[in-house]
Amino acid sequence: ANAGWAMEESLDLDMVSAICPHCKIVLLEARNTSAAALGTAENSAARMGARFISNSWSGPEFIGEQSYNHYFNHPGVAVDFAAGDTGYGTMYPTDTQYVTAVGGTTLHRSNNKRGWHEKVWSGTGSGCSSLAAKASWQTEYNSASTGCLNRIGNDVAAVADPITGVSIYDRHRTNRTRHH
């Protein structure tokens, strides 16, 4: 019933099916937008045998967030989260050690060998967590005076700029195609 979330679901489903057209894709929706309900949906996906879980929701970091981290601790399952689209700053749960934080890029056609030029999208979330501990494999910027002593986002990136992004189909909108 939430049009904004429906658009995000359409985006995720379209991108996953484009990347893996022969994959079995299951859409799970939470009962509401509370962290507990979203976490329960996360656990349901893992319990149903999902090997890859894609998420487009997140929120600001908050004191006590670590009490929800267990929802994302599924060894052997790739749990991905969009880093957000409100600009610089870390989000939860992209700041946890159990997920892959996916930042956004802007994509433009180019005459190079790849055919595209990609750069960091100004709207993507990123930064130095104020709460989550740095992963052991993150060794850059370990000095407080020049860097970040906590978890650094992002881990990977993909096209996300709604101006230069991909077309998606959303049956809930009168405008059937939207770039995202």
Side-chain angles (χ1 to χ4, degrees):
N2 182 311
W5 284 55
M7 179 61 75
E8 290 292 338
E9 290 172 357
S10 295
L11 168 65
D12 283 2
L13 292 171
D14 285 356
M15 290 305 297
V16 169
S17 66
I19 292 166
C20 189
H22 300 290
C23 288
K24 179 182 176 187
I25 301 170
V26 177
L27 170 64
L28 291 178
E29 295 180 322
R31 293 186 189 279
N32 58 54
T33 61
S34 72
L38 291 165
T40 298
E42 202 79 17
N43 285 344
S44 294
R47 189 174 50 258
M48 292 171 64
R51 294 183 8 224
F52 309 93
I53 302 174
S54 173
N55 296 274
S56 287
W57 63 270
S58 60
E61 292 182 298
F62 60 95
I63 302 296
E65 67 183 27
Q66 62 276 12
S67 67
Y68 294 96
N69 287 355
H70 64 94
Y71 290 119
F72 313 109
N73 185 5
H74 301 289
V77 177
V79 180
D80 298 333
F81 271 86
D85 52 10
T86 57
Y88 185 81
T90 52
M91 305 292 277
Y92 180 80
T94 60
D95 64 348
T96 70
Q97 63 180 325
Y98 302 114
V99 308
T100 300
V102 183
T105 63
T106 296
L107 194 61
H108 295 282
R109 284 222 177 263
S110 175
N111 291 328
N112 63 19
K113 188 174 182 179
R114 181 177 176 216
W116 299 96
H117 169 72
E118 199 166 18
K119 67 179 184 175
V120 174
W121 173 44
S122 63
T124 192
S126 66
C128 178
S129 173
S130 59
L131 300 171
K134 185 177 276 191
S136 61
W137 51 266
Q138 288 187 335
T139 58
E140 296 295 317
Y141 309 109
N142 283 335
S143 166
S145 63
T146 60
C148 176
L149 297 178
N150 289 333
R151 171 91 155 89
I152 301 170
N154 295 313
D155 302 310
V156 297
V159 63
D161 185 338
I163 304 300
T164 67
V166 297
S167 292
I168 62 170
Y169 174 79
D170 180 21
R171 69 179 183 88
H172 299 289
R173 302 259 182 184
T174 55
N175 179 3
R176 298 267 193 201
T177 304
R178 176 173 175 231
H179 286 79
H180 191 82

